[in-house]
Amino acid sequence: MINLFIDDTIAAIATAPGEGGIGIIRISGPKSLEVAEEIFFSMSGKKISEYPARTLIFGNIKDGDKKIDEVLVAYMKGPNSYTAEDVIEINCHGGFISVKRILELVLSKDVRLAEAGEFTKRAFLNGRIDLSQAEAVIDVINAKTDKAHEVAENQLDGSLSNRIREFREKVTELLAQVEVAIDYPEEDIEFIAYTTLEEKTRELNKDIKKLYETSESGKIFREGLKTVIVGKPNVGKSSLLNSILGENRAIVTDIPGTTRDVIEEFVNIKGIPLKIVDTAGIRETDDVVEKIGVEKSMASFDTADLIIMVVDSSSELSEEDREILEKVQGKETILLLNKTDLPQVIDEEEVKKYVNEENIIKISALHNEGIEDVHDRIEAMVYKGDIKSSSNVIITNSRHKDALYRAMKSAEDAMRAIEDRMPLDFVEVDLKNIWDYLGYINGDTVSEDLLDNIFHNFCIGK
Ligand code: GDP
C-alpha cells in the first residue's frame, strides 16, 4: 500500500483549451480556501467561508486592485470533493485569457501546477476511489461510443472493484483455513482442509477465469476494434468506407509524429468502436494504392483485430484476390462480395474455401445495400460470449487483464498443489499470490512507478 503524505496545493485548468462559454480552474489541497479568499471578492461582500460549502458564489477575481474576470466560485470541503481534499473551482469566462490569467494568479500564491491526472491520483491516494475506478475516469473521457461509455461508467461506480473485493475475501477465507490446518497438524483437520479447499479453490478459479474471459471483447470498448479494409484496386473499398462512415462516423484523429497517411477513423457500429486503420491509403488514387502495394497492407494484418476484405462479385476471382485471400487465412475476416447490383460472375463455392460461409456477405457499397448485415456480423463476432448484458463486469484494460491472468495461473497452481496433496505451505504461497495479483487491479499492491505511468496518460486538470 502506498502511503504518501500530500501537503501541497495544486491547480490546473480543468476545461478543454479553446474558446467556450466557461473555463474552470480547479484548486486542490490544504491551501485552496486561503488562496481563493485572497483573490476572490464576492458581490455580497461575504467571504467564501461564510457561505455553506458547495454554494456557487458570484464575484470578481482581482489581482490587487485590478479586476481580472467576473466569476462563480464553489468551495467543496474535503473529504466531500473529487480529490477528497479541500477543492475550489473557479468558473470564469471561457477562451484563453481569463483562465490563463487566473491560473497564473493562483500559481503565484504558493500553489503548484498539477501534473497530468494528479487530481484523480489524489482521489485514489486519499482513498476515495480505488485504482480501477481512477482508471475508469479516463475511459469515461475517452469513450468513443455510448456502449464504451456505459462500460466505463460501470467501472467508475465500482462494479469491478466490488468483484475484485469479493474474490479477495474468498482468498482470505481460504488462507485462514490453510493457516489453521498448518497450526494444528492433526490428520482429520488436514483431511477436511484439503477437501473443502479443493472445492472452494476450484470455484474461485472458475470465477476469475470467467472475468478474465471478458477481456477479449472488453479491450475493444476501450481501444477500439482495429480494423483493416483490404482488397485489390477498384473493388469498392472507398465506397464501402463511405457507406460505413455514413451516419456512423465518430471521431477522426490525426496521429502526431507519424506520416500524414496514418489516420484513424472511429466508426460506431452498434456501440462497438471500430478503429479503421490506414484509411488514407484506401482513399488514395489507384496507382498510389498499387504503389503502396499489397505488401504494405499485409503488414497491418498482424495487428488487426478484424479484416474486412472486399472482392468484386461482378467479375471472376483474380490471382491478386486469391493472393490476399491466402493471407487472411486464420484471421478474423469478413469477406464482402461487392457490386451485387451488377450481374454476378464470381464463383461463390471457391470463396467459401477461404472464408467461413457465415462471414461472407453480399453488398452493394454503391447502393448502400447489405451494410446492415455487415454491422450485424461485426456485432456477432465481438459479442461472442455473454458480455452484452450491461450488468456484467467487463475487463477493458490490458493492465487488469494481465493481473487477472496471473491470478488465474496462481489459482491453477493452488489447485494442482491441493489435488496432489502437497504440503499446505505450498498452497499458502499460491493463495497469497492470487491475493497480491488481484490487488494490482484495485491498487492495493501497486508500485509508485506504476501509478505515475497510469496517471501520465490523463489530461491536465483531471
Ligand atoms: P477501391 O479502389 O477499392 O477503393 O474502389 P472504389 O470504391 O473507388 O470503387 C471503384 C469503382 O467501383 C467506382 O467507380 C465505384 O463507383 C464502383 N463501385 C463501388 N461499389 C460498387 C457497387 O456496389 N456497385 C457498382 N455497380 N459499382 C460500385
Side-chain angles (χ1 to χ4, degrees):
M1 186 68 191
I2 293 163
N3 230 332
L4 292 180
F5 182 63
I6 307 168
D7 61 353
D8 54 353
T9 301
I10 55 171
I13 298 169
T15 38
E19 288 172 13
I22 299 171
I24 298 177
I25 295 97
R26 188 186 247 170
I27 314 170
S28 179
K31 283 201 161 168
S32 302
L33 181 63
E34 182 188 323
V35 169
E37 291 198 320
E38 265 179 58
I39 61 171
F40 173 76
F41 300 89
S42 74
M43 295 301 180
S44 68
K46 283 202 281 184
K47 291 176 121 195
I48 300 172
S49 47
E50 293 175 56
Y51 285 91
R54 297 160 175 270
T55 310
L56 265 187
I57 313 164
F58 183 40
N60 287 316
I61 295 286
K62 285 188 188 169
D63 183 2
D65 292 337
K66 206 157 143 216
K67 174 184 158 186
I68 296 186
D69 198 8
E70 209 169 78
V71 301
L72 286 169
V73 164
Y75 171 47
M76 282 143 287
K77 190 170 167 45
N80 300 317
S81 72
Y82 186 75
T83 54
E85 298 169 353
D86 286 354
V87 169
I88 288 278
E89 282 182 9
I90 304 171
N91 293 240
C92 64
H93 289 102
F96 293 96
I97 306 302
S98 285
V99 279
K100 179 171 158 280
R101 287 188 60 193
I102 295 172
L103 177 66
E104 279 169 1
L105 183 61
V106 170
L107 295 179
S108 71
K109 312 272 176 200
D110 196 21
V111 173
R112 131 179 108 68
L113 184 66
E115 289 167 18
E118 198 171 359
F119 293 97
T120 311
K121 185 177 177 181
R122 286 188 172 199
F124 163 68
L125 291 174
N126 291 323
R128 188 180 69 79
I129 50 176
D130 79 0
L131 193 56
S132 75
Q133 289 173 300
E135 288 171 299
V137 170
I138 195 166
D139 293 347
V140 167
I141 295 173
N142 288 343
K144 304 288 189 296
T145 69
D146 289 348
K147 178 70 193 175
H149 186 262
E150 189 184 315
V151 172
E153 286 284 353
N154 256 341
Q155 190 176 319
L156 183 60
D157 281 347
S159 57
L160 177 61
S161 322
N162 292 340
R163 185 65 60 87
I164 296 301
R165 199 173 310 124
E166 282 166 25
F167 287 171
R168 288 184 107 202
E169 274 164 16
K170 284 186 186 165
V171 178
T172 312
E173 279 170 29
L174 289 171
L175 272 169
Q177 265 176 348
V178 169
E179 273 152 26
V180 168
I182 291 176
D183 289 345
Y184 303 97
E186 284 116 46
E187 227 167 79
D188 46 343
I189 292 186
E190 205 174 82
F191 177 75
I192 298 170
Y194 276 117
T195 37
T196 50
L197 274 176
E198 193 163 349
E199 193 184 316
K200 287 190 176 160
T201 311
R202 183 173 299 124
E203 210 174 278
L204 176 71
N205 195 4
K206 223 168 71 191
D207 289 346
I208 297 178
K209 187 155 179 258
K210 210 163 141 205
L211 185 59
Y212 174 76
E213 280 169 354
T214 66
S215 62
E216 199 183 319
S217 312
K219 156 178 171 271
I220 291 162
F221 290 115
R222 192 164 184 265
E223 295 169 19
L225 186 74
K226 202 168 164 194
T227 306
V228 181
I229 302 180
V230 292
K232 65 179 186 185
N234 267 323
V235 292
K237 297 183 295 297
S238 317
S239 314
L240 169 75
L241 189 64
N242 284 335
S243 49
I244 300 185
L245 288 181
E247 305 136 30
N248 304 300
R249 179 187 235 112
I251 282 159
V252 182
T253 46
D254 266 306
I255 306 173
T258 53
T259 67
R260 71 172 176 85
D261 287 346
V262 185
I263 292 180
E264 292 173 348
E265 309 232 21
F266 279 94
V267 189
N268 181 353
I269 304 287
K270 299 189 164 220
I272 301 159
L274 214 68
K275 182 162 100 179
I276 301 184
V277 186
D278 211 7
T279 51
I282 298 170
R283 287 225 194 81
E284 300 288 344
T285 58
D286 291 345
D287 49 6
V288 177
V289 170
E290 264 165 349
K291 208 162 65 190
I292 293 170
V294 179
E295 279 306 309
K296 180 167 177 222
S297 35
M298 295 302 161
S300 42
F301 274 29
D302 294 335
T303 53
D305 300 312
L306 173 69
I307 294 168
I308 298 181
M309 178 171 171
V310 187
V311 293
D312 178 352
S313 60
S314 70
S315 59
E316 283 182 23
L317 217 54
S318 69
E319 271 318 304
E320 203 176 341
D321 289 321
R322 289 194 187 94
E323 194 187 325
I324 305 175
L325 278 167
E326 287 289 344
K327 300 235 161 113
V328 301
Q329 297 288 305
K331 317 236 182 236
E332 292 276 24
T333 307
I334 294 181
L335 179 65
L336 303 182
L337 308 186
N338 188 30
K339 308 197 186 180
T340 49
D341 53 300
L342 299 175
Q344 299 295 285
V345 176
I346 201 163
D347 177 359
E348 284 185 36
E349 290 311 310
E350 188 185 352
V351 292
K352 281 182 201 161
K353 285 185 203 146
Y354 294 97
V355 176
N356 220 334
E357 193 173 347
E358 58 179 8
N359 288 340
I360 301 176
I361 301 166
K362 295 180 185 173
I363 64 160
S364 168
L366 195 63
H367 298 284
N368 234 336
E369 280 164 20
I371 303 299
E372 203 45 44
D373 296 338
V374 181
H375 293 183
D376 288 345
R377 193 64 225 145
I378 293 172
E379 187 187 34
M381 284 171 112
V382 171
Y383 293 127
K384 264 178 295 207
D386 60 347
I387 69 158
K388 201 168 175 182
S389 145
S390 60
S391 62
N392 276 346
V393 184
I394 301 171
I395 297 297
T396 57
N397 183 314
S398 54
R399 196 183 70 77
H400 301 168
K401 178 183 173 183
D402 182 56
L404 270 179
Y405 181 79
R406 288 162 194 254
M408 193 170 78
K409 288 292 149 196
S410 300
E412 284 169 13
D413 289 345
M415 265 317 289
R416 256 192 310 273
I418 296 164
E419 278 164 8
D420 296 347
R421 298 293 187 259
M422 306 260 281
L424 285 168
D425 306 280
F426 287 97
V427 179
E428 190 182 17
V429 170
D430 293 328
L431 290 174
K432 279 187 175 151
N433 283 340
I434 306 177
W435 203 83
D436 280 347
Y437 288 134
L438 291 174
Y440 284 170
I441 297 174
N442 61 14
D444 237 18
T445 49
V446 287
S447 68
E448 226 182 302
D449 283 353
L450 179 68
L451 283 188
D452 285 346
N453 239 326
I454 291 172
F455 288 104
H456 263 117
N457 292 324
F458 276 58
C459 33
I460 297 268
K462 192 63 233 180

